C-alpha cells in the first residue's frame, strides 16, 4: 500500500524577521498507483511542501496532518520518514564531498531495509542503475553530487529512486535542466518505478514537456501556499497556454 494524505497543512519558515507563513492549508491525497503533478508560480511554496514532507528542520508545521498508510509522518524523524517509504528528489541536490555515491546509497539502503546489501551485488546494482540513467559507472565512486553537472545531479536522483524503491516519490523539478535525451531517460525511470504498482508520485514541475512522457492522473495548481485548482492533464495544457494569471488573481482576491 502507499497512501499519502496531507490535510490542512500550515507551515512557516524561520527567517531573520521571525516566522513567515508559506503553506496555508494544503490538502492532497495520493493513493496507490497515482501520479500527481503540481504546477505553480515561483515562490508559491512547492519546494516548501516537498521539504516539509521530507522533514527539513527549517520548516515548522503550525497545524495540519500528514499520514503515510495511516502513520503520522510529522511525528517521524527524517530517517524514519525514509524508512517508512518517503523519498525526495530535491530541486537543488546537495553536494556531499568525501562520500562516494556507492557508499552513500548503500548506507541509505541499509537504513531503509534494516540490513546491508552484499557489496558484490550492490556495486553491480548501482552500476546498472547509473547505466539506465546514462551515467557511466565511475559515478558510483565519485563524491555525491560534487562536480556533477546540473543534469547529472537530476539523473543521479532518479538512479537513487530506482535503487531505494520507496513507496512515495516526491520529485521537485527533476526535469529542470535536463537535455532532451535525459528528459526521456529520466521519465522512463519514473515510469518503471510507477509500473511496479503500489507506488505514488508527486511531481513538481514548471513544464508540460515532462508530462508528455510521464502521464499524470491529476494536475494541481499551487498558488500562494495552497492548491487552488485540480484537474487532469488538460489542466496542464491550459496552464501552458494561459499562465497562472487567473489563479493568482483569484487567490489575491480571496486573501483580501
Ligand atoms: N529563509 C527564508 N526567508 C524568507 N523567505 C523564505 C525563506 N525560505 C523560503 N522563503 C520563501 O518561501 C517562499 C516559497 O518558497 P519555495 O521554495 O517553496 O517556492 P517554490 O514554489 O518551490 O518556487 P520555485 O518554483 O521558484 O522553485 C518564497 O517566497 C521564498 O522566498
Ligand atoms: Mg521550488
Amino acid at each position: 500500500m502507499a497512501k499519502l494524505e496531507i490535510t490542512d497543512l500550515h507551515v512557516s519558515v524561520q527567517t531573520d524577521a521571525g516566522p513567515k507563513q508559506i503553506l496555508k492549508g494544503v490538502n492532497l491525497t495520493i493513493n496507490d498507483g497515482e501520479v500527481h503533478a503540481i504546477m505553480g508560480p515561483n515562490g508559491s511554496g512547492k519546494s516548501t511542501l516537498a521539504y516539509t514532507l521530507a522533514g527539513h528542520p527549517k520548516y515548522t508545521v503550525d497545524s495540519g496532518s500528514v499520514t503515510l498508510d495511516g502513520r503520522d509522518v510529522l511525528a517521524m524523524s527524517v530517517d524514519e520518514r525514509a524508512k517508512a517509504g518517503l523519498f525526495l528528489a530535491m530541486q537543488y541536490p546537495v553536494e556531499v564531498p568525501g562520500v562516494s555515491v556507492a557508499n552513500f546509497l548503500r548506507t541509505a539502503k541499509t537504513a531503509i531495509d534494516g540490513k546491508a546489501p552484499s557489496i558484490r551485488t550492490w556495486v553491480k546494482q548501482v552500476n546498472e542503475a547509473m547505466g539506465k540513467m546514462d551515467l557511466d559507472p565511475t559515478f558510483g565512486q565519485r563524491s555525491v553530487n560534487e562536480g556533477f553537472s546540473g543534469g547529472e545531479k537530476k539523473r543521479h536522483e532518479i538512479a537513487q529512486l530506482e535503487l531505494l524503491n520507496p513507496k512515495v516519490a516526491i520529485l521537485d523539478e527533476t526535469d529542470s535542466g535536463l537535455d532532451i535525451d535525459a528528459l526521456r531517460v529520466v521519465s522512463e525511470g519514473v515510469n518503471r518505478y510507477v509500473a511496479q504498482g503500489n507506488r505514488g508520485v508527486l511531481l513538481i514541475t514548471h513544464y508540460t514537456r515532462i508530462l508528455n512522457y510521464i502521464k499524470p492522473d491529476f494536475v494541481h495548481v499551487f498558488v500562494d501556499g495552497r492548491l487552488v485548482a485540480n484537474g487532469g492533464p488538460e489542466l496542464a495544457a491550459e496552464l501552458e497556454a494561459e499562465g497562472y494569471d487567473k489563479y493568482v488573481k483569484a487567490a489575491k482576491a480571496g486573501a483580501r
Side-chain angles (χ1 to χ4, degrees):
M1 224 176 60
K3 181 179 182 178
L4 183 71
E5 210 167 359
I6 303 166
T7 310
D8 203 21
L9 189 65
H10 289 71
V11 169
S12 47
V13 63
Q14 305 312 319
T15 75
D16 295 340
K20 176 181 169 188
Q21 194 188 19
I22 309 286
L23 300 187
K24 302 172 180 174
V26 176
N27 289 293
L28 177 66
T29 299
I30 300 178
N31 290 300
D32 254 356
E34 290 178 353
V35 176
H36 292 247
I38 288 189
M39 306 183 80
N42 293 137
S44 54
K46 304 178 300 296
S47 293
T48 300
L49 174 63
Y51 278 128
T52 302
L53 295 174
H56 193 298
K58 202 172 87 177
Y59 302 94
T60 306
V61 175
D62 299 315
S63 61
S65 69
V66 179
T67 59
L68 179 61
D69 294 337
R71 293 173 61 199
D72 182 1
V73 169
L74 299 178
M76 298 179 196
S77 62
V78 173
D79 56 317
E80 283 168 347
R81 293 177 198 213
K83 273 183 215 171
L86 272 182
F87 173 88
L88 169 63
M90 287 186 284
Q91 183 173 356
Y92 303 107
V94 286
E95 301 191 355
V96 192
V99 178
S100 76
V101 166
N103 275 340
F104 164 74
L105 288 172
R106 190 160 185 265
T107 304
K109 185 76 175 164
T110 305
I112 289 167
D113 290 358
K115 62 175 179 354
S118 95
I119 290 194
R120 211 154 45 94
T121 55
W122 183 245
V123 170
K124 192 163 159 272
Q125 273 177 280
V126 169
N127 289 349
E128 272 174 16
M130 295 299 154
K132 283 181 193 163
M133 287 301 121
D134 279 347
L135 294 170
D136 73 57
T138 57
F139 272 84
Q141 304 316 315
R142 285 175 64 175
S143 288
V144 174
N145 287 321
E146 197 180 30
F148 288 20
S149 77
E152 286 167 354
K153 284 181 184 169
K154 300 294 178 149
R155 283 187 268 157
H156 171 234
E157 298 274 297
I158 301 305
Q160 282 184 46
L161 173 70
E162 296 226 59
L163 287 162
L164 301 179
N165 199 11
K167 284 183 175 179
V168 176
I170 303 155
L171 309 177
D172 192 358
E173 294 199 27
T174 300
D175 53 335
S176 292
L178 292 178
D179 69 41
I180 294 159
D181 295 327
L183 183 68
R184 184 179 42 78
V185 162
V186 157
S187 302
E188 284 168 3
V190 174
N191 286 335
R192 273 196 300 277
Y193 164 76
V194 174
Q196 302 172 98
N198 299 340
R199 300 292 191 276
V201 173
L202 181 59
L203 183 79
I204 298 167
T205 184
H206 285 298
Y207 308 105
T208 51
R209 220 166 40 133
I210 193 169
L211 304 180
N212 296 330
Y213 294 105
I214 302 170
K215 293 287 175 217
D217 300 294
F218 302 93
V219 173
H220 310 276
V221 186
F222 199 93
V223 175
D224 192 24
R226 56 170 83 89
L227 299 171
V228 297
N230 307 298
E234 77 292 342
L235 182 53
E238 179 212 294
L239 294 171
E240 178 85 9
E242 297 173 18
Y244 297 116
D245 201 39
K246 85 174 181 201
Y247 296 105
V248 172
K249 280 186 180 142
K252 276 197 183 131
R256 267 194 220 117

